Amino acid sequence: MRNKSQINPIFLLMIVVLVFSSYRAGAYSSPHDWLLYKILVLPGIIIGLSFHEFAHAWTAWKLHDPTPKMQGRVTINPIAHVDWLGFAALLFCGFGWGQPVEINPNNFRKRRRDEFIVSIAGVTMNLIVALIFAVIARVILSVVGVTGIAEGLGSILWQMVMGVITINLVLMIFNLIPVPPLDGFSIIGEIFNLKTTDLYWNVYNYGNLILFALIIFNITDMIISPCVNALMTLITNVIIC
């Protein structure tokens, strides 16, 4: 079951460590540039998190679980989905999460199938959003041209649109990592029916610690960066240019 989010001390410690590491690496050496960049990617963060969680909620509702609907989660309103700790993490650390959608799998008609569909809905939505904004980028480029996106308002708009694409791809790949509490773990669990094994629950119980280690030792970045770069190259070549 996807549960409501709580302030997890492990995630809190992880954010503190990553912010400190970023500070030591000079990420905040130019506060003006840092703030400007964050303003440009802010729409991507809000859209990515909101649509990701909306997809989980809408899918569960359509599969006959009324829980997300009763809790006001079947909406794209960011206020309904933003977990402020996860939002801060994405803003300052480059990874993050929304407030998980609570579901009751007992309401599903085919529990294993429907839990899989709900689990994969969020990352699928992130991909769809990225592709939609790639088409928007193509339209902008065709209207204003290369010179139009190189300066002024055209440059700001272009960076925001590309930020939406990038953030959604990052959220998609990050959430596909098969470690709890990420969606990838639920997806793998349903595909291979791992919930019937002790291994699944042992990993589940230590998932936060495992994810903490993967992020601190930069293993998540080693997974995310090449995947996002490859997808961005593909989207740019096929859709944008």
Side-chain angles (χ1 to χ4, degrees):
M1 175 183 290
R2 294 172 59 86
N3 299 313
K4 288 184 177 180
S5 65
Q6 298 176 340
I7 295 179
N8 191 303
I10 295 177
F11 286 166
L12 200 56
L13 175 62
M14 183 164 51
I15 292 172
V16 171
V17 171
L18 289 175
V19 169
F20 180 73
S21 299
S22 297
Y23 172 78
R24 291 289 300 272
Y28 312 121
S29 58
S30 176
H32 176 269
D33 292 342
W34 179 87
L35 181 60
L36 180 60
Y37 172 73
K38 293 303 178 181
I39 290 173
L40 291 174
V41 300
L42 188 60
I45 294 174
I46 294 174
I47 291 171
L49 290 177
S50 300
F51 276 80
H52 180 97
E53 297 303 335
F54 162 74
H56 286 306
W58 183 86
T59 305
W61 175 49
K62 287 297 182 180
L63 291 172
H64 310 289
D65 178 17
T67 309
K69 182 69 172 179
M70 291 189 297
Q71 294 180 345
R73 302 301 301 277
V74 186
T75 174
I76 59 173
N77 184 349
I79 301 301
H81 302 298
V82 170
D83 178 300
W84 295 108
L85 182 60
F87 180 82
L90 189 53
L91 195 61
F92 287 93
C93 306
F95 79 96
W97 58 91
Q99 181 177 328
V101 172
E102 184 177 11
I103 64 172
N104 183 357
N106 292 322
N107 292 318
F108 294 146
R109 295 180 178 177
K110 294 186 178 180
R111 180 165 178 162
R112 184 180 165 193
R113 180 204 66 182
D114 293 348
E115 282 201 72
F116 169 79
I117 295 172
V118 172
S119 296
I120 205 169
V123 294
T124 302
M125 177 61 78
N126 287 134
L127 178 60
I128 291 171
V129 171
L131 295 176
I132 289 173
F133 274 83
V135 173
I136 293 173
R138 172 65 179 269
V139 172
I140 293 173
L141 186 61
S142 64
V143 171
V144 303
V146 176
T147 56
I149 63 173
E151 56 186 18
L153 292 176
S155 174
I156 294 174
L157 178 60
W158 180 259
Q159 291 181 70
M160 284 186 172
V161 170
M162 296 304 291
V164 174
I165 299 171
T166 303
I167 292 294
N168 274 275
L169 292 179
V170 168
L171 284 171
M172 181 185 72
I173 299 301
F174 178 67
N175 276 284
L176 281 173
I177 296 174
V179 174
L182 302 179
D183 295 327
F185 186 71
S186 297
I187 293 170
I188 293 296
E190 299 303 337
I191 291 175
F192 296 103
N193 199 24
L194 297 179
K195 288 184 178 180
T196 59
T197 68
D198 292 335
L199 176 62
Y200 177 93
W201 296 108
N202 288 333
V203 174
Y204 182 88
N205 291 332
Y206 292 99
N208 291 333
L209 287 173
I210 296 171
L211 183 59
F212 176 82
L214 293 178
I215 292 174
I216 294 300
F217 291 104
N218 212 35
I219 296 174
T220 50
D221 187 60
M222 293 170 61
I223 298 170
I224 294 171
S225 292
C227 292
V228 171
N229 290 338
L231 287 172
M232 280 296 296
T233 300
L234 180 63
I235 289 173
T236 299
N237 292 336
V238 174
I239 300 178
I240 299 177
C241 297

